[in-house]
Amino acid sequence: MPDTSTGSDTSKRGTGNTGGGGGARLSRRTVLAAGAGITAALTVPTTARAATLDERRLKALISRMSLQEKVGQLFVMRVYGASATAPDQVDIDANLSELGVRTAAELIQKYRVGGIIYFTWAHNTQNPYQIAELSNGIQKASLDQPRGLPMLITTDQEHGAVCRVGEPATLFPGAMAIGAGGSTADARTLGRISGTELRALGINQDYSPDADVNVNPANPVIGVRSFGADPAAVAELVAAEVKGYQSAHVAATAKHFPGHGDTAVDSHYGFPVITHSRELWEKLDAVPFRSAIAAGIDSIMTAHIEFPALDDSGDPATLSEPILTGILRGELGYDGVVITDSLGMEGVRTKYGDDRVPVLALKAGVDQLLNPPSIDTAWNAVLKAVQDGELTEARLDESILRILRLKSRLGLFDGVHVDRKGVDHAVGTKSHLATADRIAERTTTLLVNEDGTLPLNRHTQHRLLVVGADPDSPSGTTGPPTGVLAAALTEAGFTATALPTGTSPSAAAIDRAVAAAQDADAVVVGTYNVSASSSQRTLVERLLATGRPVVALAVRNPYDIAQLPGVRACLASYCWTDVELRAAAKVIAGRVKPRGKLPVPVQRADDPTKILYPIGHGLTY
């Protein structure tokens, strides 16, 4: 799921330089001719909706593919570099080490993969023009092959905590913030604008939205990536975002089936077990996925979790035929593309070796295999399984037909070239950025406001101290959070000074913050996943003891307030990206009224069976 997630996270690396990659125009005629050999004479009308090829023609493409080409179509792989043909040496070295090839073009030539996934740490997403040229280079490399097909180019652009394409692209609030806003119109707008920008960059599939219902406050991997804890509300927002992406001709992906919202283990590093009954799954986890399917979801990503009530074999859902074929395809009636979460994650590697996992996933009902640790191991394992009779070629054809249907619906057989003019017209426009800010301003949630502590008064409380956690900024945002908050509050008319104290402030850091508070009229402290033993609690307590007004802002999970009983003013922004911090600053300054409502309940710290603040709680001025 790559996240630090979704869908597919592996080890991160440093940065590289911008590179070009195959700018030749890829016309409709080129795509059709390269895609089939027999299709040069095809007439595919260009309409406002993406052009599609009918089933007969798609099956004709499959019939002309070699077994090796069919195996390749099942894989979506990472590759290092800003260019498809001329990446920096550090990326060539990484590719050789992990993939056995030098470049994206060589990867495509050798394995005929059906898709590429972009990551920031793989140096794929440095700036909009570079991304567009990389996409063009990847498409050209594929179409130049015998019987070449257009590529699915994918990424995890969830917004909020998980983004691969950063500024100057438009970044929206994350899912839980959208859940706090509660507007399906905003969710659909997010999908439409985000999809429009991705498509201008040559990215035609997004591994979003997250359809998990986050009912476990201790969930280390989903949390604010979920729209909330109410399955009906999550379902409405999932469907709205799907429709938004589809309106921009970008494939949306609901994840992580059958539901990753009640885990206390991160499947990147362990093997979570869901203990729900089948009845509870129907009422909770299944609801958003049913909604996504009804909305015409393009693909569904699996979860590397054990779910005994759905399959008592001990296998992860990714490898479970009862879950993927029996429930998802059979009971829920889904016949679209099913993709695994990253096969490099520990949750799917615990029980079987890397050579068995891709084969078992296909036998379970998966169509696409995402980012295995070794493409050579996985690709050859699938090839051997067909040659040995464990998998049939007809079984591969079923998945490839689904994949080609998706490519056809996206209009990829009608042309895949993108250019600078399209980037300039779509990416990070003033209109898009202003819309993101307006949406964010509807999400900030005021949880506590005793004695009218908020909004702060820029005339009587002019000098502000901003302290607190400075977690690494999500991809593509400015950060750090204290600096962004201080700048936004200064813009609002205050004089704000940033003093980062970290997620685990030392005694010396706390002493410095308390001393600095003596010269401030009020203090804003950013908190990040406060626990009972966290020194962030000590920081807040010491600041409260100064007598200065203290405003706590939970910059990730809204559950922090349960650990801060003495705080007289507390807000939740649900993420520490710039757009959400700017919105919170406007609320603190009184320039915007708080409108967000909790999309999850906050339980009492001393008795988790009792609710401190219920779903729907949120104050205003």
Side-chain angles (χ1 to χ4, degrees), residues 203-478:
I203 298 169
N204 48 52
Q205 182 170 19
D206 190 10
Y207 295 144
S208 186
D210 192 304
D212 299 311
V213 181
N214 198 78
V215 294
N216 188 341
N219 195 323
V221 66
I222 304 301
V224 294
R225 297 170 61 199
S226 162
F227 287 110
D230 178 353
V234 172
E236 289 184 352
L237 294 168
V238 164
E241 189 170 308
V242 167
K243 291 295 188 182
Y245 276 108
Q246 290 174 336
S247 71
H249 308 314
V250 167
T253 305
K255 58 191 185 187
H256 309 83
F257 189 83
H260 209 313
D262 189 16
T263 62
V265 173
D266 185 341
S267 52
H268 290 86
Y269 311 109
F271 187 22
V273 179
I274 302 286
T275 58
H276 289 176
S277 67
R278 173 63 190 255
E279 292 72 25
L280 182 56
W281 176 80
E282 289 280 2
K283 295 177 181 178
L284 190 72
D285 306 281
V287 177
F289 288 101
R290 290 184 185 275
S291 180
I293 292 168
I297 188 69
D298 302 286
S299 59
I300 291 178
M301 180 177 286
T302 67
H304 303 325
I305 57 173
E306 182 182 353
F307 210 133
L310 305 183
D311 178 3
D312 62 4
S313 68
D315 286 344
T318 297
L319 309 182
S320 169
E321 184 176 6
I323 291 175
L324 299 185
T325 298
I327 296 176
L328 180 57
R329 296 225 186 269
E331 296 179 24
L332 272 60
Y334 178 66
D335 193 36
V337 172
V338 174
I339 184 168
T340 70
D341 206 338
S342 171
L343 296 184
M345 293 165 58
E346 190 61 31
V348 78
R349 303 174 74 190
T350 300
K351 191 174 178 181
Y352 301 101
D354 291 339
D355 60 334
R356 292 300 299 156
V357 166
V359 175
L360 294 174
L362 291 169
K363 292 176 74 172
V366 157
D367 299 307
Q368 287 183 307
L369 303 163
L370 179 61
N371 205 23
S374 166
I375 179 64
D376 195 66
T377 297
W379 189 92
N380 279 293
V382 173
L383 180 65
K384 185 175 186 297
V386 178
Q387 292 170 338
D388 291 348
E390 183 178 7
L391 287 169
T392 66
E393 195 165 346
R395 167 66 191 88
L396 268 57
D397 290 351
E398 292 176 11
S399 288
I400 295 166
L401 181 58
R402 293 190 186 102
I403 294 165
L404 294 187
R405 282 177 187 150
L406 176 55
K407 293 182 178 184
S408 180
R409 284 200 306 274
L410 294 172
L412 302 186
F413 290 97
D414 195 45
V416 289
H417 179 81
V418 294
D419 55 33
R420 285 179 171 245
K421 183 177 180 181
V423 170
D424 291 338
H425 181 72
V427 178
T429 65
K430 289 183 179 180
S431 174
H432 288 178
L433 295 171
T435 299
D437 278 328
R438 285 195 299 271
I439 289 175
E441 290 165 8
R442 295 190 277 268
T443 67
T444 306
T445 306
L446 180 59
L447 301 175
V448 178
N449 192 26
E450 296 180 9
D451 301 325
T453 301
L454 287 172
L456 298 180
N457 188 310
R458 63 187 177 88
H459 300 293
T460 60
Q461 297 168 312
H462 187 70
R463 296 171 301 169
L464 301 184
L465 175 66
V466 180
V467 302
D470 266 340
D472 289 341
S473 292
S475 297
T477 62
T478 304

